[in-house]
Amino acid sequence: MAGDLKKVEDAFTTASGREVTLQIWVEEENLDKTDHAMASLKRAMRWDEQAYGREYDLDLFMIVAVNDFNMGAMENKGLNIFNSAAVLTHPHTATDVAFQRVESIVAHEYFHNWSGNRVTCRDWFQLSLKEGFTVFRDQCFSADTNSPAVKRIEDVAFFRTAQFAEDAGPTAHPVRPDHYIEIGNFYTLTIYEKGAEVVRMLANLVGEEAFRRGADRYFERFDGQAVTIEDFVDCMAEASGLDLSQFMHWYSQAGTPEIDAFGEYDYAKAEYRLILRQRTPATPDQPDKQPLHIPVRLGLVGTKSGRDLPLTLDGEALGSDAVIHLREAEQEFLFTDVSEAPVPSLLRGFSAPVKLRFPYGREGPGLPAGQRLRRLQPLGFGPAPGHAGPGRPDRCPSQRRREGDGPAGHRGLPRPARGRARGSCGAGRDDHPAQRGLHRRAAAAGGRRCHPRRPGVHASRAGHGTAR
Ligand SMILES: [Zn+2]
């Protein structure tokens, strides 16, 4: 890196007591706009120590931010290179959103030091190994640092708007594509954002402690190596004892799964029968799909009392908030000792990137006349905003500890998002036509996006790969 640049310098003491010099190099006119990036970097370094036990390994960490870098950000070891738009902020000229964006990107690139650099990808097909995982890590960092609920709502709204569209269109592709002509075209929302959702599902499936053990195992076992997505998932399977072989379809199948839910309450037996039917639509090159392993987090809410109902499934008491495993194309779950008819439309949503629908109501046998469950209307797709609050499935593992695991927050459940059009809840941040043009130009030039969701955040063509 060569240029007429000035630096601001700070220091960070690692958990083990080592002193690391931190430098941000910018053009002189930008020297007064680096405070927030430096503070964000230090927060990210501390967070990675606490959430993942990952310390920075060198004595010097540098960020270079230049006005004329034509991409966005790139995680070169010890020397992250940024477009100044992704680093500089000043209270007089930047909004809160800009401050949070800088914090998130600085953290993302820093986190690559472990998930991307120390452990990197064997080949480009494994791109989501580092990007999906690192987006998940930066999402959790931002959630822990700011408002978890706001962060999750923003991410889900954006995901549903932009990635669902990609998954339903002619360029739909799996999180791990099996062929490509130009990998520069694969810096996509699917690789990044859906990849992050898949990692989030893994975290939900195996639980907080096993996820951390799996991550520790992954970093320790593969430090200094170039590995595959299987290596990552295997660590989670070993740490949890769960069979994740079916889960791998999430990496190989494109398209957004659709799940139809049918609920039926039997007054006489006090049983609630829930039938979930999953289907992934055909996508280019993939006419037939296998059923996915989908973690479904749910609770039932009483029609009369409005209260959360305790769940008993297969004789096991699960509390009022449980994760069930959907593995079949159609699967039935029979909840017993359900004291009153639940409101099926308040099923809490899926901790998975799926579309959820209630196409038909089901009338329970033995339902007294006049008390028939009303016919259900189709819901909005996917988890409704608000599901990410305390007690929601979408918490990052590190949030759990802070929030506690009580059944709080149910009263604040949003009404069913009836009639809300898909994608109506957030404008795609990457949707600006000029921005799309930039991406196309970047791709045409062999350039690579590091952050498809963040306008202007790209990595340069010069070895975004971190193969060591
Ligand atoms: Zn990245």
Side-chain angles (χ1 to χ4, degrees), residues 155-186:
D155 288 344
V156 169
F158 174 64
F159 186 80
R160 288 163 41 164
T161 305
Q163 198 282 330
F164 276 18
E166 183 172 277
D167 237 356
T171 59
H173 55 279
V175 171
R176 180 167 57 186
D178 58 6
H179 63 285
Y180 63 82
I181 295 172
E182 166 53 60
I183 191 62
N185 292 338
F186 275 93

Side-chain angles (χ1 to χ4, degrees), residues 73 75 108-109 112 130-131 134-135 192 450-451 464:
E75 71 261 24
H108 177 98
E109 303 308 329
H112 271 314
K130 76 178 179 81
E131 294 304 346
T134 304
V135 169
Y192 277 70
C450 190
H451 265 282
H464 181 85

